[in-house]
Amino acid sequence: MEEKRYLPHIAYDSVIFGFSGNQLKILIMKYHNTGLFALPGGFVKIDEDLNAAVRRGLKERTGLDNIYLEQFYTFGDVSRYQPEAMKTILEANGHDVPENHWMLDRFISIAYYALINFEKVVPTPDALSDSCDWYSLNKLPALMQDHQLIVEKALQTLRDNLERKLVGVNLLSPLFTMNDLQKVYEAILGEKLRRTTFQRKMLSLNILQRHDKQYSGKAHKAPYLYSFKQETLI
Amino acid sequence: MEEKRYLPHIAYDSVIFGFSGNQLKILIMKYHNTGLFALPGGFVKIDEDLNAAVRRGLKERTGLDNIYLEQFYTFGDVSRYQPEAMKTILEANGHDVPENHWMLDRFISIAYYALINFEKVVPTPDALSDSCDWYSLNKLPALMQDHQLIVEKALQTLRDNLERKLVGVNLLSPLFTMNDLQKVYEAILGEKLRRTTFQRKMLSLNILQRHDKQYSGKAHKAPYLYSFKQETLI
DNA sequence: TTATTATTGTCACGAATTGAGACAATAACT
DNA sequence: AGTTATTGTCTCAATTCGTGACAATAATAA
């Protein structure tokens, strides 16, 4: 990681949402020998588009291309500047850290959230971390710096966008039941929804393609499987 | 403007909305001797919060404190990097510009929109510009770099936020008629609204305080004046 | 004083949407 | 064949919304 290849003072953080066990989860990194937890993030190369840098990072953490991605806020308070934490991380990794190391500078961070299919992800730590794992939103460890705030703002933005954007598409497998979809909405909104109203609403949007039934082996009526209609995908 | 006092590679741009003559307008700067038009913007001091830097710039351009301000996107494409334009501006101002001048570097720009009371603003150019003036959105001059795109995204965000945030407050005088408010909404949305529906909707929100009537001298019924209820202000 | 004019505040009615529950259909098990 | 849990759909009331009607009214004209 050569200093001259990255724009100084500029970082990004990504809140990567997945859905599993009826819960929203996000990817969290744990740094070597420090007990420090953080959002996956990175830096922007001198000749690289900001969005491309974030996609590059996402690919490294998840193995996935073509991820649904939204930029939602840029955090630029001076209080973010906590060089001790970064120094701890670098030293715990055996780096000799000069006083003027570029990673100890003040950074502003452009924050993104991503929506991905939980099943398809292979969480992968980077050189400084020994784990990259899923955590439920209500069981997050204490996070570095203002990362807790970043997560909260990501969730708020996701909620605000829920009606305007096709959120379910990106968190589910291509085939899903109406109940699966409802669980996603409930996890995002943090509240129970009424089954019949939800079904009527979704069907009236005219974005779902109905397929064969899904026989679960349980003693009750089998639900239809659905996919999102091709033309509605972004 | 000493180099060392600002964070390199980081700028902000602000889309400052005002409402006058039933139209949405924004403030545009014109640089000395160049014919170049741009959004008001600036840089972040080494020890300054990002939001504070933007407010500082707004104060300089408008004379106003306590402005309603929303950050909406950070532009970070490499294609923004057009050092010739900045060099032109600096040279037109009599500066001797070394090859490695910090303002000729690549910048990412954090974009904000502000909503202000047109009446109260005293548009003020900066050292590099000879005017700072109001332009209607549909009569903008050709803008530098990606500033046209920034304006479009600002307007789109403003529209998206219209139902969720109390937008009218910030563009109108403290006392206004229902018709004034409707004109603001129409200017933002770019479409005519139905008078009776609009009135019913606004009154049902329970955010308006009714005051005395406003006698205009015209030959018809006088409308009530309204203000936003104190507790609804942000 | 009495029409006239333009605009405003409110109501009325039907259409469309939403909330809440009822109920029959149905896979698999007893 | 009866039971159970879940699903798809329907109904009815409550609410919101689109649309127009209409009376109230401030200033002007007659």
Side-chain angles (χ1 to χ4, degrees):
Chain A
M1 204 183 278
E2 295 176 33
E3 169 173 359
K4 291 180 65 180
R5 299 185 58 215
Y6 293 92
L7 291 175
H9 302 293
I10 297 172
Y12 69 83
D13 287 298
S14 44
V15 181
I16 305 172
F17 287 104
F19 183 73
S20 169
N22 285 347
Q23 291 203 304
L24 267 190
K25 303 186 175 179
I26 65 175
L27 281 179
I28 298 290
M29 321 276 292
K30 183 178 182 186
Y31 288 109
H32 286 315
N33 312 318
T34 60
L36 289 172
F37 293 87
L39 290 170
F43 307 105
V44 184
K45 293 182 182 173
I46 291 282
D47 59 354
E48 182 180 44
D49 285 351
L50 170 60
N51 289 332
V54 180
R55 290 191 180 278
R56 176 172 52 81
L58 284 181
K59 168 88 178 184
E60 288 170 6
R61 288 309 126 253
T62 67
L64 299 181
D65 288 313
N66 281 335
I67 288 182
Y68 178 90
L69 187 63
E70 296 259 350
Q71 188 201 292
F72 67 92
Y73 199 73
T74 295
F75 294 82
D77 278 2
V78 175
S79 61
R80 292 178 49 80
Y81 178 41
Q82 293 168 5
E84 317 77 34
M86 187 53 72
K87 191 167 185 183
T88 303
I89 291 171
L90 289 171
E91 288 179 346
N93 279 272
H95 290 82
D96 190 27
V97 187
E99 272 302 311
N100 62 350
H101 190 286
W102 67 287
M103 283 180 70
L104 301 185
D105 281 337
R106 172 184 171 190
F107 276 83
I108 70 162
S109 180
I110 301 102
Y112 288 74
Y113 70 84
L115 305 178
I116 54 101
N117 182 340
F118 186 91
E119 317 282 349
K120 291 194 180 165
V121 172
V122 183
T124 310
D126 64 15
L128 297 177
S129 53
D130 44 32
S131 74
C132 176
D133 273 321
W134 291 107
Y135 286 81
S136 290
L137 280 179
N138 49 11
K139 290 180 193 162
L140 292 182
L143 301 179
M144 274 182 64
Q145 290 184 339
D146 54 356
H147 287 199
Q148 180 65 40
L149 177 64
I150 296 178
V151 171
E152 283 160 18
K153 190 136 184 163
L155 182 59
Q156 187 55 54
T157 309
L158 180 57
R159 282 179 183 162
D160 290 345
N161 287 341
L162 185 54
E163 286 173 19
R164 274 184 290 142
K165 316 219 174 187
L166 230 39
V167 164
V169 197
N170 311 284
L171 290 167
L172 289 169
S173 298
L175 286 177
F176 51 88
T177 67
M178 195 60 79
N179 193 46
D180 293 336
L181 188 57
Q182 184 175 339
K183 296 292 188 226
V184 168
Y185 273 69
E186 290 178 341
I188 292 173
L189 294 174
E191 61 180 338
K192 287 275 177 194
L193 299 176
R194 188 160 282 270
R195 184 181 62 92
T196 53
T197 308
F198 182 79
Q199 177 139 219
R200 179 172 53 190
K201 178 97 160 246
M202 284 300 137
L203 291 178
S204 75
L205 291 179
N206 223 33
I207 56 175
L208 295 181
Q209 172 87 47
R210 181 175 281 184
H211 298 273
D212 291 341
K213 294 186 172 185
Q214 181 187 57
Y215 298 91
S216 62
K218 302 281 180 58
H220 54 74
K221 194 171 178 179
Y224 287 109
L225 285 171
Y226 294 89
S227 65
F228 287 92
K229 287 185 183 173
Q230 198 60 38
E231 67 269 22
T232 65
L233 301 178
I234 305 152
Chain B
M1 203 183 277
E2 296 176 34
E3 168 175 358
K4 291 180 63 178
R5 299 187 55 213
Y6 293 91
L7 291 175
H9 302 292
I10 296 172
Y12 69 83
D13 287 298
S14 44
V15 181
I16 305 172
F17 288 104
F19 183 72
S20 170
N22 286 346
Q23 290 203 302
L24 267 190
K25 303 185 176 180
I26 64 174
L27 282 179
I28 298 291
M29 321 275 293
K30 182 178 182 187
Y31 289 109
H32 285 314
N33 311 320
T34 61
L36 289 172
F37 293 88
L39 290 170
F43 306 104
V44 184
K45 293 182 183 174
I46 290 283
D47 58 354
E48 182 180 43
D49 285 350
L50 170 60
N51 289 332
V54 180
R55 290 191 181 279
R56 175 171 53 80
L58 285 181
K59 169 88 179 185
E60 288 170 7
R61 288 309 127 253
T62 67
L64 299 182
D65 288 314
N66 281 334
I67 288 182
Y68 179 90
L69 187 63
E70 296 259 350
Q71 188 201 293
F72 66 93
Y73 199 72
T74 296
F75 294 82
D77 278 2
V78 175
S79 61
R80 293 178 47 81
Y81 178 42
Q82 293 169 3
E84 317 78 34
M86 187 53 73
K87 192 168 185 183
T88 303
I89 291 170
L90 289 171
E91 288 178 348
N93 280 272
H95 291 81
D96 189 26
V97 188
E99 271 302 312
N100 62 351
H101 190 286
W102 67 288
M103 283 179 70
L104 302 185
D105 281 339
R106 172 184 171 190
F107 277 83
I108 70 163
S109 179
I110 301 102
Y112 289 73
Y113 70 84
L115 305 178
I116 53 101
N117 183 341
F118 186 91
E119 316 283 348
K120 291 193 180 165
V121 172
V122 184
T124 311
D126 63 16
L128 298 177
S129 53
D130 44 32
S131 75
C132 176
D133 274 321
W134 291 106
Y135 286 81
S136 291
L137 281 179
N138 48 12
K139 289 179 194 162
L140 291 182
L143 300 179
M144 274 182 63
Q145 289 184 340
D146 55 355
H147 287 198
Q148 180 65 41
L149 177 64
I150 296 178
V151 171
E152 283 160 19
K153 190 137 185 163
L155 182 58
Q156 187 55 54
T157 309
L158 180 57
R159 282 179 183 161
D160 290 345
N161 287 341
L162 186 53
E163 285 174 19
R164 274 184 290 141
K165 316 219 173 187
L166 230 39
V167 163
V169 198
N170 310 286
L171 290 167
L172 289 169
S173 298
L175 287 178
F176 51 88
T177 66
M178 194 61 79
N179 193 45
D180 293 336
L181 188 57
Q182 184 176 339
K183 295 293 188 232
V184 168
Y185 273 69
E186 290 177 341
I188 292 173
L189 294 173
E191 61 181 336
K192 287 276 177 195
L193 299 176
R194 189 162 280 268
R195 183 181 63 92
T196 53
T197 309
F198 182 80
Q199 177 139 220
R200 178 172 53 189
K201 179 95 159 251
M202 284 300 138
L203 290 178
S204 74
L205 290 177
N206 223 33
I207 56 175
L208 295 181
Q209 172 87 46
R210 182 176 280 185
H211 299 273
D212 291 341
K213 294 185 173 187
Q214 181 187 58
Y215 299 90
S216 62
K218 302 280 181 57
H220 54 74
K221 193 172 177 178
Y224 287 109
L225 286 171
Y226 293 90
S227 66
F228 287 92
K229 286 185 182 173
Q230 198 60 39
E231 66 270 23
T232 64
L233 300 179
I234 307 150

